[in-house]
Amino acid sequence: MAVTSSSMLLRNFSTVGRVAQSVRVTSRIFFSTGELIRVLPYTRSSRSICSTRAAHNEEAAAKATASVADTGAPTIFDKIIAKEIPSDIVYEDENVLAFRDINPQAPVHVLVIPKLRDGLTTLGKAEPRHVEVLGQLLHASKIVAEKEGILDGFRVVINNGVEACQSVYHLHLHVLGGRQMKWPPG
Ligand code: 5GP
């Protein structure tokens, strides 16, 4: 399975920028075509990690949902899956739904989610039983990139936890493309 084998490529940057009084660690996970998969642990104090205005909005959204973060409560994505609220669907199969983000951060910004959350409020909740669906999500991301014409350059992001600015607690992959991406990300 792609997910398990690719974990061998993980590069840990945890020693970069370490802060002595850091209190918590969270991670943003980026998959970019043409480069190694990177996991960037944040070691940080209680100060904000999101410094730009756009990131500040993202941080505010994440903090606004912090009280229900990871409780397993239903999310807006349940209504999208049930088609109770509309979404611009890019790809759908038995297990996965991909739809355009309501607040796009790139010309192409599609969210790829499992139809059955099965405890995957965050990637951090992943268990061995989730390996198959995690692979399906990555494969669906590739299908989305292909359908959107960005297969030669796209980024897949998973925000994990409040400190990584996750605001919806139903695992989702952001597929971003259609513009030049920057590195390092904010
Ligand atoms: P997160 O911040 O949790 O990584 O990403 C959640 C994403 O869901 C955000 O990019 C946000 O714009 C998107 N989002 C939130 N509510 C809706 C909605 O009702 N419809 C769609 N299409 N996207 C949404």
Side-chain angles (χ1 to χ4, degrees), residues 80 83 87-93 96-101 107-112 140-150 175:
I80 289 175
K83 314 263 169 77
S87 67
D88 188 352
I89 295 173
V90 175
Y91 172 76
E92 180 174 14
D93 64 27
V96 171
L97 183 68
F99 54 95
R100 293 189 200 285
D101 196 294
V108 174
H109 187 172
V110 175
L111 301 174
V112 180
S141 298
K142 177 259 179 179
I143 293 171
V144 166
E146 198 165 33
K147 287 171 80 81
E148 293 295 301
I150 57 169
V175 179

Side-chain angles (χ1 to χ4, degrees), residues 134-156:
L134 291 173
Q136 290 165 344
L137 290 166
L138 278 179
H139 186 245
S141 298
K142 177 259 179 179
I143 293 171
V144 166
E146 198 165 33
K147 287 171 80 81
E148 293 295 301
I150 57 169
L151 201 50
D152 287 342
F154 66 102
R155 182 171 287 173
V156 180

Side-chain angles (χ1 to χ4, degrees), residues 59-172:
E59 181 186 3
K63 285 182 174 167
T65 57
S67 62
V68 294
D70 224 357
T71 61
T75 75
I76 191 76
F77 291 175
D78 292 299
K79 292 187 185 299
I80 289 175
I81 292 166
K83 314 263 169 77
E84 290 170 11
I85 63 171
S87 67
D88 188 352
I89 295 173
V90 175
Y91 172 76
E92 180 174 14
D93 64 27
E94 191 185 344
N95 305 301
V96 171
L97 183 68
F99 54 95
R100 293 189 200 285
D101 196 294
I102 203 167
N103 183 23
Q105 302 301 313
V108 174
H109 187 172
V110 175
L111 301 174
V112 180
I113 69 173
K115 286 185 173 176
L116 182 63
R117 187 171 61 174
D118 186 25
L120 284 173
T121 50
T122 68
L123 182 62
K125 288 289 178 68
E127 302 283 351
R129 73 175 189 277
H130 295 124
V131 166
E132 186 173 6
V133 73
L134 291 173
Q136 290 165 344
L137 290 166
L138 278 179
H139 186 245
S141 298
K142 177 259 179 179
I143 293 171
V144 166
E146 198 165 33
K147 287 171 80 81
E148 293 295 301
I150 57 169
L151 201 50
D152 287 342
F154 66 102
R155 182 171 287 173
V156 180
V157 177
I158 299 173
N159 297 327
N160 189 99
V162 173
E163 291 181 44
C165 296
Q166 181 175 357
S167 60
V168 179
Y169 282 78
H170 182 129
L171 177 65
H172 50 282

